[in-house]
Amino acid sequence: MKNIVVFLGAPGAGKGTAAAAVAARTGARHVSTGAMLRDAVARGTPAGLEAKSYMEAGGLVPDEVLYRMIAELLAATPDPATLFFDGFPRNEAQAAKLDELAAASGATVSSALLLDVSREALLERLGGRRVCPKCGAGYHVKALPPKVEGVCDACGAALVTRVDDQPATIARRLEVYESATAPVIGFYEKAGKLRRVDASGTAEEVAALVEKAVS
Ligand SMILES: [Zn+2]
């Protein structure tokens, strides 16, 4: 059986980190949309070549191309296998399409894990990020503070907050996520496949809960 587990979670919920950690431990395959795209382009698959032409033109890869890429991936995956989808589906239409693509290649979407974190915790996680404009080193005011507040350990430059990590941008990113993902959550809830995982703890704690939920 080819088994697909969909990972859902807001920016900052840590779904990519958890999916990668649990995949490494359990032998599941972590399929992030970005990595799948890069891999298909690098290998020159038919869908990869098509995606490449859109990317080179500076445009977004259309859903139809993404769907063909997923179909290629599922067809090339040996049976049995467990795949962790991270970054897809992003809306209800994609969720419905994933069920179709899975069925067409003898796979099943067995569950959707929602990594649950409160809005406050997300704001703290994302808003605490600092970066060194000179050497690119990354910090977090709570989770990974520099030795001297506001100063890069490596080169001594003053740390900055990226535009992406400023409160107004974070609020907008969370709103975009919520409006697109709420219907996806509803889709899997209706199908009886939604599982909520408390993702408020450390990366290790979250990975342990995710591992339990998928085993
Ligand atoms: Zn630096």
Side-chain angles (χ1 to χ4, degrees):
M1 193 67 194
K2 296 182 202 176
N3 176 28
I4 297 169
V5 179
V6 169
F7 280 62
L8 302 171
K15 69 184 158 62
T17 309
V22 177
R25 258 188 243 167
T26 60
R29 180 158 173 204
H30 176 207
V31 182
S32 83
T33 309
M36 178 180 68
L37 260 170
R38 285 190 296 275
D39 183 58
V41 170
R43 288 190 299 117
T45 69
L49 292 174
E50 209 178 328
K52 193 179 171 190
S53 66
Y54 286 100
M55 289 154 83
E56 279 174 354
L60 285 173
V61 177
D63 277 1
E64 287 307 319
V65 178
L66 213 51
Y67 296 158
R68 280 203 286 284
M69 206 171 280
I70 291 168
E72 282 175 356
L73 172 87
L74 292 175
T77 301
D79 203 349
T82 297
L83 298 110
F84 292 165
F85 270 47
D86 163 19
F88 185 94
R90 280 187 191 278
N91 57 51
E92 198 178 357
Q94 291 183 347
K97 187 70 186 181
L98 181 58
D99 276 349
E100 265 178 49
L101 293 169
S105 64
T108 315
V109 179
S110 63
S111 60
L113 298 187
L114 174 60
L115 272 64
D116 241 345
V117 188
S118 73
R119 198 181 169 90
E120 284 150 21
L122 288 175
L123 288 171
E124 189 184 295
R125 278 186 196 176
L126 297 168
R129 290 180 183 168
R130 300 291 180 270
V131 66
C132 173
K134 206 171 157 193
C135 74
Y139 298 90
H140 189 280
V141 292
K142 280 206 175 148
L144 190 65
K147 291 192 185 84
V148 178
E149 193 185 329
V151 178
C152 179
D153 288 349
C155 73
L159 301 178
V160 299
T161 307
R162 291 185 315 150
V163 176
D164 257 13
D165 298 330
Q166 283 164 8
T169 321
I170 294 170
R172 191 149 31 81
R173 285 166 68 197
L174 292 178
E175 272 156 32
V176 167
Y177 161 78
E178 277 160 19
S179 62
T181 311
V184 180
I185 294 169
F187 178 89
Y188 288 117
E189 204 155 33
K190 252 183 272 165
K193 293 178 178 176
L194 189 74
R195 288 181 174 186
R196 291 174 192 271
V197 175
D198 176 9
S200 59
T202 65
E204 292 76 34
E205 286 164 351
V206 176
L209 291 172
V210 166
E211 189 172 355
K212 213 169 133 193
V214 297
S215 61

